[in-house]
């Protein structure tokens, strides 16, 4: 089937490759406007303190300073994701809630002056007791961070499906394990930056952001502007991984400073600021109980979790729901209980990091399943095969899963990794482990309540037909969406990828789209693009039919050539037909729009986890552990993915490698650390240890073929799903190597060393 | 992050540099590669009023063999210059390896041996191997020159015997009869990690008998230190795996590590045991590596 396609299913070069490799690509912080000011935020030095007064007069007097703003100069409207948890202000009003909280901002003629001015702002604080641990925060008498979250509990979820008590009674074996996750940060290479300028009542905002639509929405809501007066766009973005979804203090700050000064204002984070802004992964503390039959069939699961949210909620409410929602996708069981407490603490706010709330629960669940398999004396891979969800089934909460190749992925992974020859048979200190994962291919519901379509696409064929421009709101953040969407547009049009151009992620010039999150763009933006391409294609065939004197059913168009199906020698070029269309009918434009059908059940929180299609992935990793030092080396890894039809194999495998890299980093090295006063200890790339190229093993990335009926060409996601199996997979490999379980992330050399020592 | 204001001088001769340093007093700092100094200034841990750059003093970048003296390395030699020096590769590959395995390529291109020593961070990677090889420092001021064993130079974290008006001009590895030496850095990832433990050794072997041994440890005490009791266990003895294990245990009791975000005291001690043993075995078997 894929053989019939000429533009998709191919590793065409990225559309932005030339600009990026030559350094021509301008990222937001590279852009300069004449007369532009620079701005910076003043951050809180205290983890929890009442603001008594702020005196900006000295800072304002400093030559070169053009504006100093605090909460007094900005709307006091709170923002966030779910209205019940709008808990963040542009600048703190009464209290600061973590070291790094936003207090004020300065715009001045240059960077030097800005830094000097920040030092001249006098803030009088009354320091309050603070709390940095989720369990401490829930205790009686703990400092209260928000009045509206008694006991510091910010979200409480209790879901119960089927009859878990009965399932556990029927079970041959019921086991509980506790695993702890850690706080990690996305560390995109490009630090956040924002530039804003005003023209009359209209503001233009360049931001390094994953969704131009949501930023436009937030800015208009919080600043009380018409959406139409706010234009948000981006240039190139050097990675996001979820950390550039929530609006940052830079976005609000730059817009307001630009308004006050009447000049363009550029603001950016340095590396440490990024850790303060955070929105990285929530640490989760996970009790998980499962009942199984003697054969290893799962009868029921209880996920009982606590997560540390840090000071603010933002997307964190969705993280809390995702943590439990997606546990039911991979394996088919009918009884499920999910309890979650999301707790606020005096640390930077957590949010959505690649895989959203799911990777840590997957780590817990995949480790737990290996423990169960070991107890039952069953190969852990075989036990998972027994439980693997079948295509065309419903999860216990009512998520419909159509295409699903988890079983095939496991079977293939078993082959290519040499599992049968290795599992349990490697010498001491060497081990192999597996883990499964997967993700939604786009969320079934938008982030805020809206009936807008999720994706819109427009294609304009230029006047003489020698190029076509795709207009989309999809956000290229490095993952390759501009390339893939242009391939899709060309395929649907019968055109050539090489002749495509793209105008993307600009709320004025491009089309509407919800943006780059929840691994949604290939499926959802792709669906709109396909429609728009088919719209063009139809117009081309109709016009060609007139010119060629045949009926349009007799024609087809591929690779920029219209031809008679029964006699492919008879042709017209797409370009000349397009030109004729233009002369006769005006500009040749195709339109497409996508909104998911109504998905999911009726229980509270039922929207989170819905998706038109679910990916599945199996990973196997082999590790070598130095038993004297605890040093762990991942020597090889295998990933088999069910991501539906693949538009661009090179980009897909790039995502798998990157996702494995990220999951491996979280499994072994990465953790954001604070001292006992809540002060960030490692907000830099020396002590927040991302793996280096030398730490990365060879990764074999393979596919199983599925074609999802709910997606354009049957595509599914890969970007996030591929990071969800990794921590569990490495956890199981470590166990296989040393025969003892490290029960908290990350598996630092010292923790492994200690585990080996304690075993002895 | 932003650099505070300072005055900047680029003297053209060693004399001018010394004179400037004497004139400007303790508010002045020498600037070599700047990879430590500028970083500290940006983080507001230090605010010198004057920076005196040594970048015009070409004579301080040389790496030569001076007969009767030994290998002389100019204080402005960069880590990459050290690791690429054919003289060092031939005589003390262990020194090249130590320089090659620190930081990252960008830092190795500008960071200098002088900066690495004077900065006096307990985890610095070059001091241990140079201490093991018995290196001497040449310190120069307007009052003249003095020579001091590197081992005696450090007085605490960030503290040395360098006088405020003094410059480090060179490091000398005197001629010696060591048959092998090595430095093992144990960091928490393959590259770009500071040492949790660094162990350097130099040994003189006569067949299987150890005639001399020096063990220098980094990152496990306020200053790079020698494990002299452990050394004594080796000297005059036939080397066996059991002996090396005991030497490792001894070194682990001699050191004085702290717990920090990179590792606990307990872990560091045990890593001293492991890497002392491994480093000795490597130097005994493979020479200067
Ligand atoms: C990303 C990164 C990674 C790093 N990794 C490592 C690592 O793995 N291992 C390691 O050991 N270090 C590491 N460092 C620290 C640093 O790069 C080295 O210590 C380097 O050798 C310092 O040399 P420099 O020339 O840059 O010194 P500078 O920063 O110029 O100077 C450091 C100090 O020494 C003084 N000084 C310098 N030269 C002289 C002289 N000739 N006479 C008198 N005083 C002098 C300066 O006044 C200053 O106080 C790293 C640094 C960075 C930024």
């Amino acid at each position: 089937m894929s053989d019939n396609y000429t533009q998709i299913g191919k590793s065409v070069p990225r559309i932005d490759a030339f600009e990026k490799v030559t350094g021509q690509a301008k990222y937001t912080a590279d852009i300069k406007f004449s007369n532009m000011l620079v701005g910076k935020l003043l951050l809180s030095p205290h983890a929890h303190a009442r603001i008594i007064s702020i005196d900006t007069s000295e800072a304002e007097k400093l030559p070169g300073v053009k504006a100093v703003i605090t909460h007094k100069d900005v709307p006091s409207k709170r923002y966030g994701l779910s209205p019940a948890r709008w808990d963040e202000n542009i600048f703190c009003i009464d209290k600061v809630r973590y070291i790094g909280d936003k207090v004020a901002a300065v715009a001045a003629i240059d960077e030097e002056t800005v830094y000097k001015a920040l030092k001249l702002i006098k803030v009088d604080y009354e320091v309050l007791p603070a709390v940095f641990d989720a369990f401490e925060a829930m205790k009686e008498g703990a400092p209260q961070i928000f009045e509206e979250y008694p006991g510091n509990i910010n979200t409480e979820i209790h879901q119960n499906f089927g009859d878990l008590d009965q399932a556990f009674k029927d079970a041959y074996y019921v086991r509980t394990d506790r695993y702890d996750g850690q706080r990690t940060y996305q560390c995109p290479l490009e630090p956040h930056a924002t530039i804003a300028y005003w023209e009359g009542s209209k503001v233009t905002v360049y931001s390094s952001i994953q969704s131009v639509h949501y930023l436009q929405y937030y800015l208009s809501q919080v600043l009380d502007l018409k959406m139409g007066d706010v234009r948000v766009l981006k240039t190139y973005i050097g990675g996001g991984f979820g950390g550039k979804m929530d609006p940052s203090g830079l976005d609000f700050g730059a817009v307001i400073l630009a308004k006050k000064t009447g000049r363009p204002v550029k603001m950016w984070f340095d590396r440490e600021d990024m850790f303060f802004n955070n929105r990285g992964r929530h640490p989760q503390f996970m009790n998980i109980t499962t009942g199984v039959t003697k054969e290893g069939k799962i009868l029921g699961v209880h996920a009982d979790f606590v997560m540390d949210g840090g000071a603010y909620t933002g997307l964190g409410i969705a993280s809390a729901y995702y943590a439990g929602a997606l546990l039911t996708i991979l394996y088919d069981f009918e009884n499920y209980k999910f309890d979650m407490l999301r707790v606020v603490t005096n640390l930077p706010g957590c949010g959505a990091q690649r895989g959203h709330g799911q990777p840590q629960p997957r780590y817990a669940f995949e480790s737990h399943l290996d423990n169960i398999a070991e107890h039952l004396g069953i190969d852990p891979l075989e036990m998972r095969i027994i439980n693997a969800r079948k295509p065309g089934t419903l999860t216990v909460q009512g998520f419909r899963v159509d295409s699903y190749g988890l079983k095939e992925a496991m079977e293939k992974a078993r082959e290519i990794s040499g599992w049968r020859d290795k599992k349990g048979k490697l010498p001491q200190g060497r081990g192999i482990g597996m883990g499964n994962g997967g993700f939604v291919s786009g969320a079934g519901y938008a982030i805020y309540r809206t009936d807008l379509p999720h994706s819109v696409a427009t294609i304009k064929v230029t006047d003489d037909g020698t190029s076509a421009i795709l207009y989309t709101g999809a956000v290229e953040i490095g993952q390759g969406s501009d390339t893939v969407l242009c391939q899709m547009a060309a395929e649907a049009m019968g055109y050539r990828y090489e002749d495509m151009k793209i105008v993307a992620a600009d709320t004025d010039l491009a089309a509407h789209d919800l943006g780059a999150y929840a691994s949604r763009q290939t499926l959802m933006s792709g669906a709109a693009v396909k429609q728009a391409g088919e719209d063009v294609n139809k117009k081309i065939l109709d016009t060609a039919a007139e010119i060629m004197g045949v009926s349009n059913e007799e024609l087809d168009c591929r690779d920029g050539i219209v031809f008679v199906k029964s006699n492919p020698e008879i042709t017209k070029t797409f370009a000349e037909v397009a030109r004729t269309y233009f002369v006769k009918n005006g500009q040749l434009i195709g339109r497409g729009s996508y909104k998911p059908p109504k998905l999911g059940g009726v229980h509270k929180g039922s929207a989170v986890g819905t998706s038109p299609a679910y990916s599945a992935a199996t990973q196997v990793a082999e590790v070598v552990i130095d038993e004297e030092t605890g040093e762990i080396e991942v020597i090889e890894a295998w990933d088999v993915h069910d991501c539906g039809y693949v538009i661009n194999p090179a980009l897909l495998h790039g995502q798998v490698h990157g996702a494995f890299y990220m999951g491996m980093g979280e499994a072994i090295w990465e953790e954001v650390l604070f001292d006992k006063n809540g002060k960030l200890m490692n907000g830099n790339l020396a002590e927040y240890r991302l793996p280096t190229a030398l730490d990365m093993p060879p990764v074999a990335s393979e596919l199983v073929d599925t074609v999802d009926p709910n997606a354009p060409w049957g595509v599914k996601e890969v970007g996030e799903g591929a990071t969800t199996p990794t921590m569990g997979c490495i956890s199981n490999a470590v166990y296989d190597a040393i025969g003892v379980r490290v029960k908290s992330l990350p598996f630092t050399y010292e923790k492994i060393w200690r585990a080996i020592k304690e075993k002895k | 992050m932003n650099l505070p204001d300072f005055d900047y001088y680029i003297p053209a001769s060693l004399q001018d540099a010394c004179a400037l340093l004497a004139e400007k007093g303790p508010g002045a700092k020498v600037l070599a590669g700047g990879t430590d100094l500028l970083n500290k200034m940006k983080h507001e841990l230090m605010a010198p009023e004057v920076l005196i750059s040594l970048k015009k003093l070409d004579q301080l970048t040389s790496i030569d063999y001076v007969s009767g003296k030994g290998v002389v390395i100019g204080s402005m030699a960069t880590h990459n210059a050290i690791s690429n020096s054919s003289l060092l590769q031939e005589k003390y590959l262990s020194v090249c390896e130590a320089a090659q395995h620190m930081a990252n390529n960008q830092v190795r291109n500008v960071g200098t041996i002088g900066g690495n020593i004077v900065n006096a961070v307990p985890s610095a990677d070059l001091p241990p191997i140079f201490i093991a090889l018995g290196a001497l420092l040449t310190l120069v001021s307007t009052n003249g020159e003095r020579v001091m064993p590197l081992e005696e130079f450090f007085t605490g974290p960030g503290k040395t015997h360098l006088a405020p008006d003094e410059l480090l001009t060179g490091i000398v590895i005197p001629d010696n009869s060591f048959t092998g030496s090595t430095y093992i850095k144990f960091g928490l990832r393959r590259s770009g990690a500071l040492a949790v433990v660094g162990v350097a050794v130099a040994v003189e072997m006569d067949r299987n008998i150890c005639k001399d041994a020096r063990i220098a440890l980094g990152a496990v005490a306020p200053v790079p230190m020698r494990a002299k009791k452990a050394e004594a266990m080796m000297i005059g003895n036939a080397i066996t795996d059991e002996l090396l294990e005991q030497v490792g245990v001894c070194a682990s009791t001699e050191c004085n590590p702290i717990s920090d975000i990179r590792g606990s005291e307990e872990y560091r001690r045990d890593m001293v045991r492991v890497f002392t043993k491994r480093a000795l075995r490597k130097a005994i078997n493979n020479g200067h590596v």
Side-chain angles (χ1 to χ4, degrees):
Chain A
M1 173 190 152
S2 56
D3 294 343
N4 293 331
Y5 299 138
T6 61
Q7 310 300 315
I8 59 174
K10 281 190 181 164
S11 298
V12 302
R14 293 181 65 111
I15 204 163
D16 52 8
F18 180 84
E19 289 76 7
K20 283 188 170 170
V21 298
T22 57
Q24 199 176 303
K26 293 264 180 290
Y27 293 78
T28 307
D30 297 327
I31 296 176
K32 292 191 179 81
F33 289 100
S34 61
N35 230 12
M36 187 168 79
L37 301 172
V38 299
K40 273 266 162 198
L41 299 174
L42 178 72
L43 305 180
S44 161
H46 300 295
H48 198 193
R50 204 168 296 291
I51 298 175
I52 308 293
S53 64
I54 307 179
D55 178 1
T56 59
S57 55
E58 290 301 310
E60 279 160 34
K61 275 185 229 151
L62 185 71
V65 171
K66 298 296 172 193
V68 183
I69 53 174
T70 69
H71 68 88
K72 292 193 188 109
D73 306 280
V74 304
S76 58
K77 189 163 175 185
R78 288 175 161 203
Y79 60 94
L81 175 71
S82 90
R85 292 172 194 78
W86 285 346
D87 51 23
E88 192 164 3
N89 281 109
I90 299 174
F91 296 118
C92 298
I93 298 173
D94 52 341
K95 286 211 292 190
V96 292
R97 293 183 174 84
Y98 71 96
I99 294 177
D101 212 348
K102 309 178 290 291
V103 178
V106 172
I109 50 166
D110 57 25
E111 211 182 330
E112 232 184 305
T113 311
V114 169
Y115 281 102
K116 284 183 181 149
L118 288 176
K119 287 204 166 53
L120 296 175
I121 300 175
K122 289 194 201 81
V123 189
D124 198 4
Y125 293 103
E126 177 199 338
V127 176
L128 300 170
V131 63
F132 310 109
D133 173 276
F135 295 94
E136 291 298 319
M138 286 188 283
K139 283 188 183 154
E140 271 229 18
Q144 289 298 295
I145 301 172
F146 289 90
E147 266 168 35
E148 58 270 44
Y149 304 143
N152 292 315
I153 294 171
N154 142 287
T155 302
E156 199 168 339
I157 304 170
H158 303 288
Q159 296 179 340
N160 199 348
F161 305 96
D163 186 346
L164 193 67
D165 291 342
Q166 191 57 45
F168 285 171
K169 273 188 207 136
D170 296 343
Y172 166 76
Y173 178 51
V174 178
R175 181 189 176 102
T176 301
D177 282 304
R178 156 86 184 251
Y179 291 103
D180 291 352
Q182 87 281 37
R183 176 182 276 260
T184 61
Y185 177 58
Q186 293 94 344
C187 287
L189 270 185
E190 181 216 11
H192 307 53
T194 306
I195 301 173
Y197 61 83
W198 288 76
E199 289 159 311
S201 63
K202 297 183 171 55
V203 64
T204 298
V205 185
Y206 285 78
S207 179
S208 172
I209 193 97
Q210 290 177 232
S211 168
V212 292
H213 172 77
Y214 285 125
L215 183 57
Q216 179 193 32
Y217 171 79
Y218 279 123
L219 288 171
S220 75
Q221 289 289 308
V222 180
L223 302 178
D224 200 18
L225 298 166
K226 282 195 294 186
M227 251 176 113
D229 282 350
V230 180
R231 177 185 177 196
V232 177
L233 70 158
K234 57 102 200 164
T235 61
Y236 293 84
I237 294 183
F241 312 106
K244 293 178 180 168
M245 266 306 285
D246 281 313
S248 78
L250 305 182
D251 298 315
F252 292 112
V255 168
I256 296 160
L257 287 169
K259 174 100 190 175
K260 249 197 133 171
T261 58
R263 291 166 67 164
V265 173
K266 172 154 84 184
M267 297 184 76
W268 66 93
F269 283 149
D270 61 32
R271 192 55 66 178
E272 190 176 42
D273 294 336
M274 294 167 77
F275 282 82
F276 287 135
N277 182 66
N278 191 35
R279 319 294 152 151
R281 197 166 315 289
H282 292 70
Q284 294 189 50
F285 311 96
M286 302 163 287
N287 272 306
I288 190 148
T289 307
T290 299
V292 292
T293 66
K294 202 167 179 172
E295 295 71 38
K297 178 85 192 77
I298 300 171
L299 297 179
V301 175
H302 182 197
D304 185 9
F305 298 168
V306 170
M307 75 187 345
D308 171 1
Y312 296 107
T313 309
L315 286 166
I317 167 84
S319 321
Y321 276 100
Y322 265 121
L326 298 185
L327 277 181
T328 61
I329 308 285
L330 279 67
Y331 311 115
D332 203 352
F333 48 84
E334 277 159 21
N335 307 289
Y336 180 53
K337 206 168 156 219
F338 170 46
D339 296 304
M340 167 65 90
L341 299 175
R342 185 181 187 277
V343 182
V344 288
T345 58
N346 292 111
L347 293 174
C350 300
Q353 181 169 344
R354 201 173 197 165
H356 212 159
Q358 198 206 182
Q360 291 186 2
R362 277 250 73 78
Y363 148 67
F365 199 37
E366 296 296 316
S367 304
H368 173 69
L369 285 179
D370 261 41
N371 293 343
I372 292 172
E374 185 182 42
H375 179 87
L376 298 177
I378 306 176
D379 179 284
L381 197 150
E382 302 303 328
M383 190 180 102
R384 287 174 174 85
I385 287 181
I386 300 175
N387 287 291
R389 172 166 305 286
K390 295 191 176 53
T393 54
L394 279 183
T395 74
V396 64
Q397 316 100 305
F399 301 147
R400 182 164 185 81
V401 180
D402 279 321
S403 70
Y404 207 62
L406 181 63
K407 177 166 169 282
E408 292 73 16
M410 283 191 271
E411 288 165 349
K412 194 162 191 178
R414 185 173 60 194
E415 285 319 304
I416 61 172
S417 66
W419 176 265
R420 286 192 172 120
D421 299 329
K422 290 178 182 166
K423 174 65 190 167
K425 297 174 186 150
L426 294 171
Q428 178 71 18
R430 198 171 172 125
I432 193 167
M434 61 125 3
N436 287 328
F439 205 59
V440 297
S441 307
Y445 295 86
I447 278 180
Y448 66 95
R449 213 162 282 219
T450 174
D451 54 3
L452 291 177
H454 288 206
S455 291
V456 170
T458 307
I459 296 168
K460 177 176 99 177
V461 180
T462 55
D463 312 355
D464 67 350
T466 54
S467 69
I469 308 168
L470 170 62
Y471 300 86
T472 166
V475 186
E476 167 70 75
I477 59 174
Q479 82 284 50
S481 63
D482 279 359
T483 302
V484 165
L485 294 174
C486 282
Q487 283 182 271
M488 289 173 147
E491 183 66 45
M493 291 162 70
Y495 202 54
R496 284 158 44 87
Y497 164 74
E498 293 74 13
D499 296 328
M500 291 301 303
K501 299 182 187 177
I502 185 163
V503 174
D506 178 330
T507 57
D508 268 14
L509 296 188
H512 160 87
D513 194 288
L514 297 181
Y517 67 96
S519 293
R520 55 179 296 287
Q521 294 187 154
T522 307
L523 191 152
M524 297 191 175
S525 311
V529 167
K530 182 167 187 268
Q531 242 183 53
E534 286 166 351
D535 190 13
V536 170
N537 180 268
K538 179 167 183 308
K539 289 170 179 162
I540 287 286
L541 295 189
D542 288 349
T543 307
E546 280 173 39
I547 306 172
M548 296 165 83
V550 293
S551 82
N552 58 7
E553 282 99 66
E554 290 170 71
L555 294 173
D556 200 352
C557 179
R558 265 188 221 162
D559 213 7
I561 306 289
V562 183
F563 58 93
V564 177
K565 282 190 263 187
S566 60
N567 187 357
E569 305 282 286
I570 308 176
T571 63
K572 287 266 170 217
T573 67
F574 181 107
E576 60 181 312
V577 179
R579 191 175 183 287
T580 306
Y581 178 96
F582 185 38
V583 170
K584 283 189 174 174
N585 310 306
Q587 195 84 53
L588 174 46
I589 287 177
R591 294 172 204 282
S593 178
Y594 175 80
K595 191 174 174 188
K598 191 176 170 349
L599 295 165
V602 292
H603 58 278
K604 185 160 189 273
S606 64
V608 180
T610 54
S611 181
Y614 297 85
S615 68
T618 298
Q619 280 174 2
V620 178
E622 200 171 328
V623 303
V624 172
I625 287 170
D626 181 328
E627 294 200 276
E628 276 193 308
T629 65
E631 183 172 0
I632 163 174
E633 185 186 353
V634 181
I635 55 168
E636 202 167 349
W638 298 264
D639 177 290
V640 183
H641 227 88
D642 160 22
C643 45
Y645 179 73
V646 178
I647 303 294
N648 186 316
L651 285 174
L652 176 115
H653 295 303
Q655 285 294 308
V656 169
H657 283 235
F660 183 85
Y661 163 87
M662 208 154 172
M664 181 182 74
E666 291 185 55
I668 304 174
W669 291 279
E670 296 177 38
E671 180 165 20
V672 185
L673 299 167
F674 300 89
D675 73 7
K676 61 181 196 320
N677 301 314
K679 187 165 171 279
L680 179 64
M681 307 267 281
N682 60 343
N684 58 65
L685 299 183
E687 295 299 342
Y688 184 84
R689 275 180 295 279
L690 300 164
T692 67
L694 295 179
D695 299 295
M696 183 72 182
V699 177
S701 170
E702 300 246 357
L703 300 167
V704 294
D705 287 327
T706 65
V707 175
D708 198 274
N710 309 314
W713 293 286
V715 300
K716 297 199 280 191
E717 79 85 40
V718 67
E720 296 185 77
T723 221
T724 63
T726 314
M727 299 172 217
C729 159
I730 293 176
S731 167
N732 290 333
V734 169
Y735 180 74
D736 191 48
I738 62 174
V740 45
R741 190 60 82 177
V742 179
K743 293 186 178 166
S744 66
L745 292 165
F747 316 133
T748 61
Y749 305 166
E750 182 166 350
K751 276 193 207 164
I752 294 181
W753 166 83
R754 200 173 292 282
I756 294 170
K757 221 171 75 149
E758 280 164 7
K759 189 184 93 172
K760 278 186 182 152
Chain B
M1 286 192 297
N2 196 36
L3 278 176
D5 293 341
F6 54 86
D7 289 338
Y8 182 57
Y9 294 89
I10 320 174
S13 71
L14 190 56
Q15 287 85 331
D16 289 355
C18 291
L20 262 173
L21 206 50
E23 180 198 324
K24 300 294 172 189
K29 274 276 169 195
V30 168
L31 178 69
T35 59
D36 275 317
L37 185 59
L38 299 181
N39 219 9
K40 281 189 194 159
M41 288 167 69
K42 282 190 173 178
H43 281 100
E44 301 178 10
L45 301 172
M46 205 182 241
E49 289 145 26
V50 176
L51 290 189
I52 300 171
S53 168
L54 303 185
K55 73 179 177 192
K56 279 201 185 152
L57 307 186
D58 287 342
Q59 73 269 35
L60 298 189
T61 59
S62 61
I63 303 174
D64 291 313
Y65 182 73
V66 179
S67 82
K69 207 170 172 196
V71 176
V72 182
I73 303 174
S75 62
M76 287 293 282
T78 63
H79 303 302
N80 272 344
I82 291 171
S83 74
N84 295 331
S85 152
S86 49
L87 174 68
L88 284 170
Q89 284 175 4
E90 192 186 304
K91 289 185 83 75
Y92 302 109
L93 185 59
S94 49
V95 168
C96 304
E97 291 282 316
Q100 174 66 34
H101 286 109
M102 59 186 278
N104 53 51
N105 203 37
Q106 292 92 323
V107 169
R108 289 194 296 271
N109 268 330
V110 289
T112 64
I113 180 169
N116 195 249
I117 291 172
V118 175
N119 201 46
V121 170
S123 64
D125 280 313
L126 293 184
I129 185 70
F130 281 93
I131 290 174
L133 290 169
L136 305 170
L137 302 182
T138 311
L139 308 174
V140 175
S141 72
T142 45
N143 301 326
E145 182 179 302
R146 59 178 179 138
V147 172
M148 176 183 276
L150 173 57
E151 191 186 332
E152 292 165 20
F153 183 62
F154 302 104
T155 56
K159 295 201 185 100
T160 68
H161 283 298
L162 187 81
D165 67 341
E166 241 173 356
L167 275 173
L168 168 63
T169 56
I171 296 92
V172 182
I173 307 175
D175 291 334
N176 57 61
S177 49
F178 291 122
T179 54
S181 65
T182 197
Y183 172 66
I184 302 185
K185 166 186 187 159
F186 181 59
L188 299 179
R189 67 181 163 192
R190 285 285 172 86
S191 167
L194 296 179
V196 172
V197 164
V199 179
V201 300
V203 292
E204 183 186 345
M205 297 297 294
D206 185 1
R207 304 214 183 145
N208 195 34
I209 304 295
C210 176
K211 296 187 67 183
D212 193 9
R214 289 166 65 102
I215 301 170
L217 307 174
V220 289
V223 298
M225 59 165 280
R226 289 216 5 227
K228 292 192 177 164
K229 286 186 202 141
E231 291 170 2
M233 290 173 72
M234 309 250 318
I235 297 168
N237 288 320
I239 298 304
T240 62
D241 285 344
E242 293 70 47
L243 178 65
L244 294 185
E245 175 68 29
Q246 286 162 17
V247 170
V249 170
C250 180
S252 77
T253 56
E254 266 182 272
C255 66
N256 187 19
I258 55 163
S259 295
D260 67 11
I261 57 169
R262 271 173 248 138
S264 69
E265 180 201 331
E266 194 193 355
Y267 185 55
R268 283 197 155 103
R269 273 193 203 281
D270 200 42
M271 292 308 102
V272 167
R273 173 185 67 82
V274 172
F275 289 104
T276 299
K277 179 176 70 174
R278 291 186 187 179
L280 286 168
R281 181 46 82 194
K282 203 170 152 200
I284 290 167
N285 290 1
N286 303 331
H288 295 283
V289 285

